[in-house]
Amino acid sequence: MIWCVDDDNNIREIEVYTLTQTGFEARGFANGKALLEALETEIPDLIVLDIMMPETDGITALQAIRSNPKTKNIPIIMATAKGTEIDKIGGLNLGADDYLVKPFGVMEMVARIKAVLRRTCKTESSDDITVGNITLKEKEHNVISCGKKIELTHKEYDILSLFMKNVNIVFSRDKLLSDVWGINYAGETRTVDAHIKTLRQKLGSAGSQIKTVIGVGYRMEAEK
């Protein structure tokens, strides 16, 4: 089920119609307030969320969704007519999975939705991944660091998972933006650096396993 949130009735109806015609179940909401109320009883597979809306805007709704343990892992694509750098970086830092800049084509929207769903689809594998003092429990979507369970945001988890599945492989910042956020935003490093910083802090002493490769990017090492 895909939820489309936009205060423009025409845009919202076109989005819902297109999604249903391409094989998705879809539902529309006119504002963030209605979205948050619906999330109390139902969890969608993905939300397409407009930023500029009355009552509860998209950024406020995004913050509320990411701060709620029941909804924090829902994939979210932000839709904005502004499209400026500060809008994109602000939304990505708050946990948006992708961006659509208005006006966008409906088939571009469908393609972005499919791409985000592929990236965020949980694996059915029951195997744990352990690297040094960190264990990633994929089935439970949990992380154990130095024997303690830690809480990660959706993006922090995705970064850690990528590192742990590619030990000693160096990832540039642009590569991390592409693989984790699904965007090509050459030259922008603040989002990646901020997420790596908080990830290291949450991992505690095991955070030192994430190494900075000066002038290149980051890699994970299996420290004993």
Side-chain angles (χ1 to χ4, degrees), residues 5-18:
V5 189
D6 198 303
D7 61 318
D8 187 311
N9 292 336
N10 290 330
I11 292 176
R12 187 175 68 253
E13 289 173 3
I14 290 172
E15 289 176 347
V16 171
Y17 175 79
T18 300

Side-chain angles (χ1 to χ4, degrees), residues 105-201:
V106 290
M107 297 317 296
E108 177 190 359
M109 176 191 70
V110 172
R112 293 289 188 90
I113 288 172
K114 289 180 177 179
V116 170
L117 288 175
R118 284 195 299 269
R119 294 201 308 270
T120 58
C121 180
K122 294 181 180 178
T123 178
E124 294 300 320
S125 171
S126 60
D127 294 338
D128 298 342
I129 302 172
T130 298
V131 179
N133 294 312
I134 306 169
T135 297
L136 188 80
K137 294 179 172 292
E138 290 195 292
K139 189 173 183 180
E140 295 87 357
H141 208 71
N142 290 334
V143 174
I144 307 297
S145 180
C146 299
K148 296 181 180 180
K149 180 180 176 181
I150 61 172
E151 293 293 330
L152 299 180
T153 66
H154 185 68
K155 283 291 173 283
E156 290 165 355
Y157 180 93
D158 287 348
I159 292 170
L160 182 62
S161 176
L162 183 65
F163 281 153
M164 293 181 70
K165 292 174 181 177
N166 298 275
V167 176
N168 293 322
I169 301 298
V170 179
F171 289 88
S172 68
R173 292 168 175 84
D174 288 343
K175 180 63 173 172
L176 287 169
L177 278 172
S178 175
D179 287 359
V180 176
W181 280 269
I183 61 173
N184 293 314
Y185 203 13
E188 178 49 60
T189 62
R190 290 172 296 172
T191 294
V192 172
D193 291 341
H195 279 76
I196 295 293
K197 180 180 179 180
T198 56
L199 176 58
R200 282 171 166 162
Q201 290 172 342

